[in-house]
């Protein structure tokens, strides 16, 4: 059942979906950094549904071209605007991405925010292509075959976050279409 939300709820849903897509595309590529950059990628957010005020389900179309199943155990994304943390997205349950496949992966997320209007500002800036005041910190723990993967980064501008994972602002525009 899809929750029907008014203005702020719809805005939070769009902002969270955009941040999830951008961030997961980057983090998935990094999780299998020992393979080709295109080996693991989030291709699309197929469905995004809010669960009350503190959660969301997202169905992602993910491609894993590696020879190993990717088991993502933990993802945490802290979102900053103008240097102030405005929210945190956390993966609620671990997910498995099968090897050599493009598949739909259901994910459950917890959203923690003390200022819902700040997410509105972040969403507007993403829509306008103004990434200058948006920042992220992240932590991902996964396993690719028998190899544990742990990547993290302290707060950095979104543009630097994208550069770290070989993405550009044009890639983001494509993801957000």
């Amino acid at each position: 059942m899809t929750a029907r939300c008014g203005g702020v709820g719809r805005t939070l849903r769009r902002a969270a979906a955009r941040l999830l897509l951008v961030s997961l595309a980057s983090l998935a590529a990094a999780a299998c950094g020992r393979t080709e950059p295109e080996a693991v990628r989030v291709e699309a957010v197929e469905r995004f549904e809010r669960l009350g005020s503190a959660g969301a389900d997202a169905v992602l179309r993910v491609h894993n071209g590696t020879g190993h199943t990717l088991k993502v155990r933990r993802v945490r994304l802290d979102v900053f605007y103008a240097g102030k943390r405005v929210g945190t997205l956390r993966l609620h349950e671990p997910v498995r991405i099968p090897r050599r496949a493009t598949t739909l992966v259901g994910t459950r997320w917890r959203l923690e925010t003390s200022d819902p209007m700040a997410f509105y500002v972040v969403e507007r800036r993403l829509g306008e292509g103004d990434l200058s005041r948006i920042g992220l910190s992240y932590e991902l723990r996964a396993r690719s075959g028998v190899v544990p993967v742990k990547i993290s980064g302290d707060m950095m501008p979104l543009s630097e976050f994208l550069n770290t994972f070989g993405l550009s602002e044009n890639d983001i525009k494509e993801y957000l279409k």
Side-chain angles (χ1 to χ4, degrees):
M1 182 170 136
T2 302
R4 297 186 64 100
C5 300
V8 173
R10 187 175 13 263
T11 298
L12 282 174
R13 187 171 57 241
R14 281 194 313 257
R18 286 178 173 189
L19 286 169
L20 275 174
L21 181 59
V22 169
S23 302
L24 289 176
S26 301
L27 292 172
C32 284
R34 57 191 167 84
T35 63
E36 292 92 47
E38 292 294 312
V40 178
R41 65 183 178 274
V42 176
E43 293 181 341
V45 175
E46 294 289 331
R47 186 174 54 88
F48 187 83
E49 180 180 350
R50 294 275 298 155
L51 301 173
S53 62
D57 281 342
V59 176
L60 309 170
R61 186 178 40 202
V62 181
H63 172 76
N64 180 359
T66 70
H68 302 284
T69 297
L70 181 62
K71 300 169 192 162
V72 181
R73 294 181 176 166
R74 184 179 356 178
V75 178
R76 186 200 82 235
L77 299 165
D78 291 319
V79 181
F80 296 85
Y81 185 75
K84 179 184 173 197
R85 188 168 65 81
V86 296
T88 301
L89 292 165
R90 295 181 196 274
L91 184 64
H92 182 63
E93 301 167 349
V95 296
R96 296 173 58 107
I97 304 166
R99 65 188 180 118
R100 294 190 182 104
T102 299
T103 187
L104 296 178
V105 178
T107 60
R108 179 156 285 177
W109 295 86
R110 279 186 277 175
L111 171 64
E112 302 163 2
T113 183
S114 58
D115 186 0
M117 291 308 293
F119 258 79
Y120 172 75
V121 172
V122 169
E123 191 270 336
R124 293 256 333 239
R125 296 297 183 249
L126 283 170
E128 295 168 356
D130 179 9
L131 311 180
S132 62
R133 301 185 80 189
I134 302 170
L136 293 175
S137 67
Y138 60 93
E139 179 182 332
L140 176 133
R141 290 182 189 235
R143 184 168 291 278
S144 178
V146 297
V147 178
V149 177
K150 179 182 175 185
I151 61 169
S152 62
D154 293 328
M155 191 195 58
M156 63 180 71
L158 182 56
S159 57
E160 185 180 324
F161 176 84
L162 296 172
N163 289 336
T164 299
F165 299 109
L167 295 171
S168 69
E169 291 184 31
N170 289 333
D171 294 323
I172 300 311
K173 290 176 185 172
E174 287 297 313
Y175 285 132
L176 298 179
K177 282 185 179 179

